[in-house]
Amino acid sequence: MSASQRPRSRILGTGAYVPERVLSNFDLEKLVDTSDEWIRERTGIRERHIAHAEEATSDMALRAARRALEAAGLTPQDLDMIVVGTITPDMPMPACAAFLQHKLGISDVPAFDISAACAGFLYALSIGDQFIRSGMHRHVLVVGAELLSRILDWEDRTTCVLFGDGAGAAVLGPAGEDGRGVLSTKLHTDSTLLDSLCIRAGGSKERITPEAIEGKRDKVFMNGQDIFKVAVKNLTRASASALTESGLSPSEVRWVVPHQANMRIITQVAQRLDIPLERFVLNIDRYGNTSSASIPLALDEAVRDGRIQPNDTVLMCALGGGISWASALVRM
Ligand code: ACO
């Protein structure tokens, strides 16, 4: 059977969760030399949610996963695999997905993490889709969950104002004959800008020493302007080629769910794709950049409030550290 003849996967249900605590731009004015006006004008962010001290990434993932399972009409026992996109797992080892499996009360299904930064959810979606298309698994839970507030330098105004915590999930299952389902996924990595977005210490290359901690080398470092330029270029290209290969025109896309990193990036991508901004699902103002959680958070919001309807064609695209980026076309 050729790949195109194999049954697609379909998103059976979505779910999301953000912690209760809200940190506004005005709160940040008290922490670093910034202003609500600068943050809003340069990024579009007004506030973000921050996890409480006892909350771990898998706790947020669990809440999102339960909601997605409920929406799909399934139980944890129905799952055949769990894939979590995250750069902030509970521990370096084992995987956040293993903690999630435990908290869901199931065992003996493969559960693993994917490290693709902000593109993590779309990487997880693509992997889940492949396992279902191949016939190896029936129901796959894909999650994007990040507790970025733990890995930020709260004295660095160039990064700490951008990010927030949260989780989103989707349950994938076999599609029917009605044309709904994951139409395509495209994954890319270009290591040219490895050093422009990274956490320098804490892996095997550089240990966490008192000097590393002093130099904040265990926290997120980003050259924002480098990333901005490649984000506009690569998100546009990945989205445009997904449309071309699927034989769809921009006007046939009902909704775009973009990674919510910067409103200016999203606006430029919208212009280049020739898709009006009104057809973009936007929640960056309330959540900031939640990395791999950003797309499933926005997707779930638009499904639950009725903007995204069954059979709508939805284009998703994300880019983050690596530089890794991805797009997905889905008929909901
Ligand atoms: N408040 C006030 N001033 C600030 C702040 C702040 N929070 N941050 C920076 N500035 C200052 C800078 O110091 C600079 O001052 P100077 O001109 O005196 O030197 C000035 O503002 C302009 O700084 P720029 O870096 O040029 O600002 P820019 O317009 O590029 O916006 C931003 C910065 C928001 C980071 C933008 O570059 C961006 O969004 N980049 C892409 C982020 C992204 O997509 N990341 C990928 C995903 S993240 C992941 O994978 C985990």
Side-chain angles (χ1 to χ4, degrees), residues 34 38 42 118 157 197 222 224-225 227 261-262 264 289 320-321:
T34 192
W38 190 96
R42 296 288 180 125
C118 304
R157 69 177 183 173
L197 180 49
M222 181 168 73
Q225 288 188 357
I227 305 297
N262 187 316
R264 289 183 295 141
N289 179 350

Side-chain angles (χ1 to χ4, degrees), residues 47-199:
E47 58 189 32
R48 68 287 292 144
H49 290 245
I50 304 290
H52 64 73
E54 288 76 37
E55 212 162 13
T57 304
S58 64
D59 295 317
M60 298 194 298
L62 176 67
R63 303 266 200 130
R66 281 200 177 128
R67 287 171 189 168
L69 282 164
E70 196 185 2
L74 296 173
T75 69
Q77 286 69 27
D78 295 315
L79 293 174
D80 300 310
M81 188 166 88
I82 301 172
V83 191
V84 177
T86 188
I87 51 165
T88 50
D90 295 29
M91 294 179 188
M93 191 267 290
C96 178
F99 284 95
L100 177 58
Q101 188 210 70
H102 183 71
K103 288 175 183 176
L104 283 168
I106 53 174
S107 58
D108 203 20
V109 298
F112 56 94
D113 293 354
I114 287 296
S115 176
C118 304
F121 176 77
L122 293 185
Y123 269 63
L125 181 81
S126 181
I127 291 165
D129 178 50
Q130 306 308 321
F131 271 90
I132 291 170
R133 276 180 197 257
S134 73
M136 191 154 168
H137 290 316
R138 194 169 163 77
H139 293 130
V140 180
L141 173 66
V142 293
V143 179
E146 302 287 8
L147 214 158
L148 297 164
S149 60
R150 301 268 206 277
I151 58 165
L152 294 176
D153 172 2
W154 286 99
E155 292 176 352
D156 176 10
R157 69 177 183 173
T158 69
T159 51
C160 77
V161 305
L162 303 174
F163 298 100
D165 300 333
V171 177
L172 300 178
E177 301 290 317
D178 54 5
R180 295 170 72 187
V182 177
L183 307 180
S184 78
T185 57
K186 300 184 75 64
L187 310 181
H188 308 264
T189 303
D190 175 357
S191 54
T192 316
L193 293 178
L194 275 180
D195 298 332
S196 294
L197 180 49
C198 58
I199 299 172

